[in-house]
Amino acid sequence: MNLLISGSRDASKRMLELARGIALIAIAHKWMIVVGDAEGVDEIVINMCNRFEYARIRVFGAYGRMRRKTKHGVNVITNGTYPQRDEAMAISCKACIGIWNGVSRGTMITVNAVTA
C-alpha cells in the first residue's frame, strides 16, 4: 500500500507524536510512505525512516530543490508550485493520513486531491 502522510509545518507536539507513531506502523507493515519535503510532520516522518534505514519512502519536493531528503528512499523532484507537488503526492497514493491543524493550505490540497 502507498500511504501519504501529510501534515502541517507548525504542528503541535501531540500532532508530531502522532506522525511518529503512524510512521512506525507504516514501517512495521512495510508500506510505501509518501511525504513532502517540509518541516513539521514531513520532517518527523523522514527522520523516522532515516533512523530505521527504511527505503520504502518517497519524498516529494517542488521547484527542483529538496529541503528535506531521505537517505535510503527516493527523493522525487516535481516541477511547478507546492500545490502541484501536493497533488502529485496525492495521485501516487491509495490512502492519506492528514495531520492537519486546520490552517495549512498544502495539507488541505493534498487531502482533497486524495479524496477526489
Side-chain angles (χ1 to χ4, degrees), residues 3-8 11 15 18-19 22 34 41-42 95-102 104 106-112 114-115:
L3 175 65
L4 171 59
I5 303 174
S6 180
S8 303
M15 292 168 79
L18 177 60
I22 292 167
V34 176
V41 169
D42 296 347
C96 174
I97 296 179
I99 303 170
W100 188 38
N101 63 2
S104 171
T107 302
M108 181 182 67
I109 289 168
T110 305
V111 171
N112 286 342
V114 169
T115 57

Side-chain angles (χ1 to χ4, degrees), residues 30-96:
K30 296 182 173 42
W31 295 335
M32 175 62 71
I33 298 172
V34 176
V35 71
D37 68 340
E39 298 172 351
V41 169
D42 296 347
E43 183 177 20
I44 289 290
V45 173
I46 293 166
N47 289 343
M48 291 302 294
C49 290
N50 286 340
R51 178 178 166 196
F52 290 100
E53 298 181 1
Y54 190 69
R56 293 184 53 83
I57 179 173
R58 286 196 167 93
V59 179
F60 279 70
Y63 296 109
R65 65 181 172 158
M66 296 293 291
R67 294 179 179 177
R68 304 274 184 268
K69 294 182 181 182
T70 176
K71 294 177 186 174
H72 307 283
V74 176
N75 298 301
V76 179
I77 306 289
T78 61
N79 294 320
T81 64
Y82 282 103
Q84 289 169 325
R85 175 209 62 182
D86 296 336
E87 192 171 336
M89 289 190 306
I91 290 169
S92 73
C93 293
K94 295 189 180 205
C96 174

